[in-house]
Amino acid sequence: MKPYLLVVPFSALITGLFNAGKVVPWPPAILIGAAWALLMGLIAHWLRRNPRRGRWSEDVLIGVATTALAFAACGGLMAILLLNGAMRSTSLSGEALEQMFLPSIPYYIIVNSLLEMLIIPLVLYVSWRPGRRRILILAAAALYFGMRVWTYVAFAPARLDWADSAHSTQVLTPADRTQAAGDLMLDDPRWALLMVMFVLFLIAAFLRPAHRQAQQGITDRDERTIGATIS
């Protein structure tokens, strides 16, 4: 299996249909997403043409992905804790809850845009080598793809609709709190999924790729042979 078979559908759906599709009709939007995936593939091919550059870019991209997923997971958990804590306040108003929620929108737009448009596609392309590292990255990427589809279909519309609604300075009634908790999906489990992805990438970051292990084995054997010859 080639990485294009995974990255192109991912990008066509996420970058194309769900993002570009907001400003252009869906057929060209899907083509835009697919073209973006091919562009990422060309960049990855250029990176891998030089072996040293390929190894360096693979390690760096895995490190960047690990860091970005940590930000996404911890940010999601913190937002859930803050919003759930606010819900227990007896003086909470709709306006106050809205102002607490709004800063999370640009935060997640930035983090997820980097992940879904640049980091995940490039990591899949650059790290496409046999071995346990690729298996871990594939598992994390599959989880991320499923989570992003889930987000665009269910989570994002409900939360953005709530943010776009008018909210008063009146204290929320129990019914209002229940409605707000449902609209904001305060039982959101995505932070836990992101934490799983973070752990998978973290393990991958500390794994030496199979081709490097083979090269190291050849080097060690040559050094032993030379040492035996000299002695």
Side-chain angles (χ1 to χ4, degrees):
M1 180 186 291
K2 298 296 184 181
Y4 287 97
L5 298 179
L6 299 174
V7 180
V8 171
F10 172 87
S11 184
L13 185 61
I14 302 299
T15 303
L17 183 62
F18 289 136
N19 286 288
K22 296 176 182 177
V23 293
V24 298
W26 69 265
I30 290 176
L31 291 177
I32 290 171
W36 179 261
L38 295 175
L39 175 61
M40 292 297 100
L42 291 175
I43 293 173
H45 177 70
W46 175 79
L47 290 172
R48 291 186 59 170
R49 284 179 62 184
N50 181 291
R52 174 179 289 184
R53 185 173 60 209
R55 291 192 298 269
W56 179 85
S57 60
E58 180 180 347
D59 290 340
V60 168
L61 283 167
I62 290 173
V64 170
T66 305
T67 304
L69 287 167
F71 271 96
C74 294
L77 176 59
M78 181 58 66
I80 292 295
L81 292 174
L82 286 173
L83 292 171
N84 275 303
M87 284 293 185
R88 292 191 289 271
S89 170
T90 57
S91 60
L92 179 67
S93 68
E95 183 187 39
L97 185 62
E98 180 184 27
Q99 293 305 312
M100 185 177 296
F101 169 71
L102 288 178
S104 67
I105 295 177
Y107 176 88
Y108 266 99
I109 288 175
I110 293 171
V111 172
N112 281 307
S113 294
L114 290 173
L115 278 166
E116 66 194 27
M117 294 184 67
L118 294 173
I119 299 171
I120 297 297
L122 283 174
V123 166
L124 282 171
Y125 281 129
V126 173
S127 64
W128 196 262
R129 312 174 194 274
R132 291 176 296 172
R133 175 181 264 192
R134 185 175 73 177
I135 294 172
L136 291 170
I137 291 172
L138 276 173
L143 280 174
Y144 186 75
F145 175 72
M147 189 199 70
R148 293 309 293 158
V149 172
W150 187 12
T151 297
Y152 282 111
V153 171
F155 281 89
R159 286 185 165 184
L160 292 177
D161 285 347
W162 184 88
D164 289 337
S165 301
H167 300 285
S168 72
T169 57
Q170 299 296 318
V171 175
L172 292 176
T173 65
D176 292 334
R177 292 168 189 265
T178 301
Q179 182 65 45
D183 291 340
L184 292 174
M185 298 185 177
L186 297 187
D187 56 351
D188 180 4
R190 290 177 304 160
W191 68 268
L193 291 176
L194 286 164
M195 193 63 72
V196 172
M197 298 173 218
F198 162 73
V199 171
L200 290 173
F201 265 101
L202 186 63
I203 296 171
F206 286 96
L207 279 180
R208 178 177 292 183
H211 70 285
R212 292 191 211 171
Q213 293 178 355
Q215 291 173 355
Q216 185 63 46
I218 293 171
T219 301
D220 293 343
R221 186 172 64 249
D222 291 344
E223 289 177 352
R224 288 195 298 269
T225 302
I226 293 171
T229 302
I230 294 175
S231 61

